[in-house]
Amino acid sequence: MRDIAIVSSAQLPSVREMGPSDESELVQPVVTKALEAAGLTMDDIGFVCSGSSDYLVGRPFSFVAAIDGLKCWPPIQESHVEMDGAWALYEAWVRLLHGDIDTALVFAFGKGSLGPIPDVMNIQNDPFYVQPLGLDSISSAALQAQALIAAKKATERDFAEVAVRSRRNAMSNPNAQIKGEFDPKAIMKNEPYIASPLRKSYCPPLSDGAVAVVLAAGDKARSLVKRPAFIRGIDHRIEPASLGARDLTVSVSTKLAAEKVGVSTGKVDVAELHAPFAHQEIILREALGLGDDVVVNPSGGAISANPIMAAGLIRFAEAAQRIHDGSASRAVAHATSGACLQHNMVAVLEGE
Amino acid sequence: MSERCAVIGIGQTKHSESRKDVSLAGLLREAAFRALADAGLESFQDIDAVVIGTAPDMFEGVMMPELFLADALGAVGKPIMRVHTAGSVGGSTAIVASSLIQTGIHERVLTLAFEKQSESNAMWALSPAIPFQPQLVAGAGGYFAPLIRAYIRRHDAHPDTGCVVAVKDREHGLLNPYAHLHLKQTLEEVKAAPVLWDPIRYSETCPSSDGAVAMVLASEKAAQGIKNPAWVRGTSVRTESTFRAHRDQINPQAGKDCAKHVYAQAGITNPYEEIDVAEIYVPFSWFEPMWLENLGFAEEGQGWRLTMDGKTRLGAEMPINPSGGVMCTNPIGASGMLRFAEAALQVRGMAGAHQVDGAKTALGHAYGGGSQFFAMWVVSSEKP
Amino acid sequence: MTERLSAPYRLHYAYTRSTGPVIGRFLDSLRDRVLEGIRAADGRVLFPPTEYDEQGRATTGEFVQLRPTGTVTSYTWVNEPRPTHPLDRPFAWALIKLDGADTAMVHAVDAGKEKAMKVGMRVRVRWAEKATGTIRDIVCFDPISPIIKTPVDLNYFVRPGEHQSQYLHALAEGRFIGGRCRVTGRVYVPPRGATPESGLPTEDEVIDLPDTGVLTTFTVVRIPFEGQKLTPPYVFGAIVLDGADVPIYHLVSGIPYEQIRMGMRVRAKWKPREEWGTTLENIEYFEPTGEPDAPFDSYAMHL
């Protein structure tokens, strides 16, 4: 298979609410910055793919408005997934394998400031049995966290530790939203449960943000940047929609995808895991077989900045960044979709 | 690296205004099982991955429906993707699926496109009332009617052209058991229909349908033993912005580029001569002559003559939409894939009463947005 | 002739009926909203249950619980119900075969109108609020819809972007503005976060544009829809303001719609100033200026 690499990326810093900015104004700056970082212009790009969801703004055709943030004259080869941008990256990776083009631009954007996000996410649920009950995304995640405690796989203290470590890591990430030194004991003492056993600190913030990633194949990648992050394997798998049909304390789809891409065939230096809720990191670590020596979410993760539909692709950008800067030789990037980690993507990135 | 990709299974639902007899999942499964059976498969077991496409989530009120539908489509434990490129989505979805075969990632991919328009209201789902955006016109017709007027003016087209297409496509639809509309209409009846968005008459618009379509795409290895597979000879997508200054909205460059790209892959230099049948996306009948020009079947300004001369009828030189096309069946998100699937049916010789005799090479075409998104494939009975 | 004699007479008696082992159990179960049929000697399920089948053979004594839903096999519509009828408004008498039963029962269907009745339609038991242990514990049957309503109701904000906001604020002052593409110099209305030709935002300095222009193409809207501003037929069209390179879309009026043509010179008809807000609706419609039409070639590139 052809070598495909992430050669550059750019993000808008995630914030609770951005100033006036429509889709094109979210996309234009990150795309421009990511292209510049790779020394490319839109005219050099062979394929464009984006990820977004109309329900974040409650209006159809968000992606059409986003394309207005691009130079698309002459006409471009372009596609879109109504999914997290990580799946747009997957489509672009597949497209590059054809061999007739060498570069691709992937972007994603999401605003959490315009709608009632936990309730919006309920619209993902089964429209007959669950959606009418109004199961919001925090409550479904809480069911999973409680299952983890009941199975004695984790304690609430573990959740607090994940949150505190993530937000400490976020201090060195200019794009992160929630960052700083926090005390696990204080969190457990002072914060009420939103839905037990989840307190606010174990949940992701509401974020506005955007990300763009540039992919290039083989020698083209090597000619563009010093240390491309080559995608050695990428795979994604889905699980049943019904929470009751799954063991919520494990992530079989992540495990399956990890086996397909060979996560365990070499030492993992760093992993960027798309775990919007603290307890999900614990589940994902186990599914991926990551030991204590692996640096997990040096960016602070989705619990520190969570622009929905972009947060998964941001994990790819962050993991690739560790390869670009030489701080890691082998990195794992992960993205998730759906309630309680229903759909998971895993990739192994390597430097040369 | 390019593996060959074959269409080995095709299935579609009976399309109608409201398929109240089936759930959303049931609608998809109706198409999926027909495609699996056509491919000689009894279950989802031998499918490696699923790619679905549909128009905005607001139509069915399920956000990111691949999550809810994973079980219904036998996707659990497999990769599943959901593509969304407006009206061209059915085409783009099939192209993503074919890429998964052509790049050697999978052996068999199930791809589906669907719309259950009856679960909401298309006018509402496409253009809900939004602050700061005055609602001055309703529906796609309001957007496209001025373009049709401009086409007629630019090329002095015969005013009956749209009606002639409507009569022809409805006649074709009578030959297609799955078509939503089964209407026998004379030219006089079509012309007498009320005008909705001048110059578009009611009879020159597509219906609003519930329906789904599915295809099983396979590698050369997995296609062994399959009778008459349709081979994918070329695929292409192109996008441009509706807002570009001095944009040609009648004959968009993105469509021309997309056609050129897909013909080059299939080795086609003269589409009129070398393509036996085309299924193209015609939601308003006047788009037939416009796309005939955009796709290179006619010189610019001459598309309406082909139609008026009867060249686009089944049995004539350049049959367009023998299935009855979008003018007879329009489950929006599925309409593009229906064009791709009908093109494949033709080169497989399995189109039944609407079969084009001896069809070897066919074009499937979809477009969306303000004539800004294009997806096309060329399929052939001959291996690339 | 002798007078014909006539006097009212009422036959009335409140019978006490013994129900026997089968009907008794059936009616008693109705109190618990449970429907039971009985298995006949030949395997069929009879509903309502009896001690014997229509051939006189004893039934088996095996009760079979049934769902409260069934299918109409035949019906008649009653426009004027009699006092003895189960419903006091127009309804259907129907033969209804419960799911899982092999025989049909007679009962009423509260369908509202005759058009709603169809052989093969699905119906469901409507239970009496207060059980009496009689067949009247089934008040009637209601049509079943295969459709359920699952409303989605979410509250969002709409916040226009920077360029759009600038445009809307200008409209609130009765002005049109545009933005120049940094690469081609073409003027976009409204200014944009990126132009398709450049991928860059339009120039920071916006351009004031007049409220006059050319109607390039249009449609006559004859279809009514919710929230419509004008009564059909009326004209909706693309207007390229003088000095702009892209059209805006608006209504065109002020003359009979049959006289509206491509290339017509138009001017905005603003609403009274006190009604202005940050919206294009400050303009009621565009109307002819009375100037000569623009030649086709002068606006052909906008089509």
Side-chain angles (χ1 to χ4, degrees), chain A residues 14-321:
Chain A
S14 287
V15 291
R16 175 65 184 86
E17 189 186 333
M18 237 172 237
S21 50
D22 58 23
E23 287 85 349
S24 70
E25 289 161 346
L26 281 177
V27 167
Q28 194 275 340
V30 282
V31 163
T32 304
K33 227 172 118 191
L35 288 172
E36 271 171 15
L40 297 170
T41 69
M42 267 305 288
D43 294 338
D44 303 314
I45 292 294
F47 182 68
V48 177
C49 198
S50 62
S52 64
S53 169
D54 288 344
Y55 264 106
L56 294 187
V57 293
R59 288 183 275 158
F61 303 119
S62 293
F63 76 94
V64 180
I67 291 165
D68 289 331
L70 302 179
K71 177 177 189 288
C72 47
W73 184 258
I76 56 175
Q77 299 196 45
E78 186 266 343
S79 184
H80 168 261
V81 292
E82 191 82 354
M83 305 175 81
D84 185 285
W87 276 266
L89 180 140
Y90 183 84
E91 185 179 332
W93 172 76
V94 173
R95 181 66 189 83
L96 285 172
L97 289 179
H98 272 277
D100 59 326
I101 54 170
D102 294 327
T103 53
L105 168 70
V106 180
F107 64 89
F109 56 95
K111 276 194 169 186
S113 64
L114 297 174
I117 295 303
D119 300 322
V120 169
M121 302 310 275
N122 175 44
I123 311 301
Q124 290 183 338
N125 289 323
D126 180 319
F128 303 104
Y129 292 157
V130 183
Q131 209 188 92
L133 300 175
L135 181 68
D136 64 278
S137 51
I138 297 173
S139 300
S140 57
L143 284 171
Q144 183 178 39
Q146 189 61 57
L148 209 57
I149 291 174
K152 297 202 177 353
K153 289 186 170 181
T155 63
E156 196 197 316
R157 171 81 193 200
D158 296 328
F159 305 164
E161 299 278 359
V162 168
V164 166
R165 195 206 70 243
S166 298
R167 281 147 183 178
R168 184 184 305 128
N169 289 353
M171 290 166 75
S172 57
N173 178 3
N175 299 316
Q177 183 178 339
I178 312 269
K179 48 182 105 177
E181 282 294 349
F182 298 92
D183 174 18
K185 274 193 216 143
I187 290 171
M188 292 173 71
K189 192 168 155 226
N190 300 332
E191 284 185 14
Y193 287 123
I194 299 175
S196 64
L198 294 187
R199 302 179 197 274
K200 193 176 175 198
S201 282
Y202 317 152
C203 301
L206 290 167
S207 310
D208 287 357
V211 57
V213 168
V214 177
L215 301 180
D219 288 341
K220 179 75 184 178
R222 293 180 190 98
S223 76
L224 291 173
V225 292
K226 211 168 71 199
R227 226 172 114 79
F230 283 99
I231 299 168
R232 294 304 183 206
I234 182 168
D235 192 80
H236 64 102
R237 304 280 155 164
I238 198 164
E239 294 182 39
S242 163
L243 300 184
R246 285 149 58 184
D247 177 350
L248 296 177
T249 68
V250 294
S251 180
V252 291
S253 54
T254 301
K255 191 158 185 268
L256 187 55
E259 281 164 11
K260 291 279 171 189
V261 302
V263 168
S264 64
T265 59
K267 180 177 178 300
V268 177
D269 299 319
V270 60
E272 278 286 342
L273 309 183
H274 186 190
F277 294 89
H279 67 274
Q280 294 176 336
E281 183 189 302
I282 298 165
I283 296 170
L284 291 170
R285 268 178 186 266
E286 184 198 290
L288 291 160
L290 302 179
D292 292 340
D293 57 329
V294 181
V295 179
V296 171
N297 288 346
S299 68
I303 199 167
S304 302
N306 189 39
I308 297 173
M309 297 300 130
L313 182 58
I314 287 175
R315 307 279 73 76
F316 280 74
E318 291 289 348
Q321 190 51 43

Side-chain angles (χ1 to χ4, degrees), chain B residues 35-49:
Chain B
L36 290 173
D38 186 23
L41 303 173
E42 283 171 12
S43 74
F44 294 110
Q45 199 183 328
D46 293 320
I47 296 297
D48 301 324

Side-chain angles (χ1 to χ4, degrees), chain C residues 196-272:
Chain C
E197 303 163 296
S198 69
L200 300 170
T202 48
E203 286 176 2
D204 295 338
E205 199 173 325
V206 296
I207 298 163
D208 274 301
L209 294 166
D211 63 357
T212 55
V214 175
L215 176 68
T216 59
T217 183
F218 63 94
T219 179
V220 185
V221 178
R222 292 167 183 271
I223 179 175
F225 65 90
E226 222 180 297
Q228 206 159 24
K229 310 280 182 217
L230 297 177
T231 313
Y234 64 89
V235 168
F236 170 83
I239 296 144
V240 178
L241 296 177
D242 295 326
D245 287 290
V246 292
I248 60 166
Y249 292 84
H250 216 299
L251 308 174
V252 181
S253 190
I255 52 166
Y257 71 90
E258 302 94 331
Q259 295 173 24
I260 293 173
R261 51 209 183 265
M262 292 170 73
M264 198 170 76
R265 298 273 309 149
V266 291
R267 176 194 311 278
K269 170 145 187 345
W270 296 83
K271 286 181 181 167

